[in-house]
Amino acid sequence: MANSGLQMLGFVLALIGCIGLIVGTIMPQWKMSAYVGDNIITAIAMYQGLWMSCAYQSTGQMQCKVYDSILQLDSALQATRALMVLSIILTVIGMGVSSMGMKCTNCGGDDKVRKARIATVGGVVFLLGGLASMIACCWFANRIVRDFYNPLTPVNTKYEFGAAIFIAWAGSFLVLLGGALMSCSCHRRNSGGAKTKYPPSKGRPVSSTGKDYV
C-alpha cells in the first residue's frame, strides 16, 4: 500500500524545487564577472543570465538589458534556456499528476492501486523535469569553466559562477529527490501472493470406507 507520508514529503520537496527552478531561471546572476588579473576594476560588476545581462555599480544601482534577439545568442545559452523552461513545465505537470494519485486526495477515485500508479507516473515526470534542469545547469557551468581557463579569453571578459546557477542546482536536486520518493511510494502487492481459491466440489460425498452415500 502506498505510503502517504512518503508521498507528501516527495510532493513538498518537488514543490520547493520547482520554486527554486523558477527563481533561478528568472535571476540574471547565472554568471558574474571574475576579478582576476593585475588590473582589477571593482566599480562595476557584470552579470549575465538566461534572459538579460546586468551591470551593478558600486553605488548600488543596477542596469539590466534584455537580450535583443534569440538568434544572436550562442547555442549553449539557447539550449540552457530551453531545458530550464522544459524542466519547469514538466515539474508543474508532475505536481498535477501526483496530486491526483496521492492518498490524501480524492481526485483519482477510490481505487488505491490506480491512485498509486498515478502517483508513480507523477514521480517519473518529476525525475524527467529534474534531469532536464540538472543537464542545463551542468552544461552552462561547464561552459563557464572552459571559458575561464581558456588562455585566449581576455581577462576582463572572464566569468565565474553566479548565485542563480546554485539556486537552479538546488532546485534540480530537490525535484529529483521528490520524484524518487514519489516513485518509491508505488503499490506493492504481497510477496507471497494471494492464495488460490478453488470452487467447492459438486460431487457426492464419499465415506471413509470408499463407498458412496446413497
Side-chain angles (χ1 to χ4, degrees):
M1 187 176 294
N3 191 335
S4 59
L6 198 63
Q7 289 180 346
M8 183 62 67
L9 178 61
F11 185 85
V12 171
L13 290 177
L15 177 60
I16 298 174
C18 182
I19 296 174
L21 292 178
I22 295 174
V23 173
T25 303
I26 296 175
M27 290 178 61
Q29 291 90 354
W30 274 73
K31 61 180 181 179
M32 57 182 296
S33 55
Y35 301 110
V36 295
D38 298 330
N39 297 325
I40 300 177
I41 301 175
T42 58
I44 299 177
M46 301 298 298
Y47 298 99
Q48 288 189 7
L50 301 182
W51 313 96
M52 64 185 72
S53 60
C54 299
Y56 181 80
Q57 301 179 0
S58 59
T59 57
Q61 297 179 351
M62 178 180 289
Q63 296 179 351
C64 298
K65 180 182 179 182
V66 180
Y67 298 133
D68 297 330
S69 176
I70 299 178
L71 301 178
Q72 292 180 353
L73 302 177
D74 55 75
S75 59
L77 185 57
Q78 293 182 17
T80 303
R81 180 190 291 187
L83 286 174
M84 290 301 297
V85 173
L86 177 63
S87 174
I88 294 173
I89 294 175
L90 288 176
T91 306
V92 173
I93 294 175
M95 286 190 294
V97 176
S98 299
S99 61
M100 295 178 60
M102 295 175 63
K103 292 182 63 178
C104 58
T105 62
N106 297 323
C107 300
D110 297 331
D111 191 349
K112 296 182 179 180
V113 177
R114 188 179 67 174
K115 286 177 67 70
R117 291 175 180 173
I118 294 175
T120 304
V121 173
V124 173
V125 177
F126 280 146
L127 292 175
L128 294 177
L131 183 61
S133 58
M134 185 65 70
I135 292 175
C137 295
C138 294
W139 191 355
F140 197 89
N142 180 61
R143 185 65 178 270
I144 296 176
V145 173
R146 285 169 49 192
D147 293 341
F148 184 87
Y149 289 106
N150 188 0
L152 301 178
T153 304
V155 177
N156 57 351
T157 60
K158 289 181 180 292
Y159 289 89
E160 58 186 3
F161 298 152
I165 193 170
F166 292 105
I167 295 176
W169 257 327
S172 303
F173 177 76
L174 291 177
V175 172
L176 287 173
L177 183 59
L181 293 177
M182 188 67 68
S183 300
C184 291
S185 64
C186 61
H187 178 81
R188 295 182 180 179
R189 294 187 177 184
N190 188 5
S191 59
K195 294 183 179 180
T196 306
K197 295 182 179 180
Y198 297 97
S201 176
K202 296 182 180 181
R204 291 181 298 175
V206 181
S207 65
S208 60
T209 57
K211 296 181 179 180
D212 298 339
Y213 289 107
V214 179

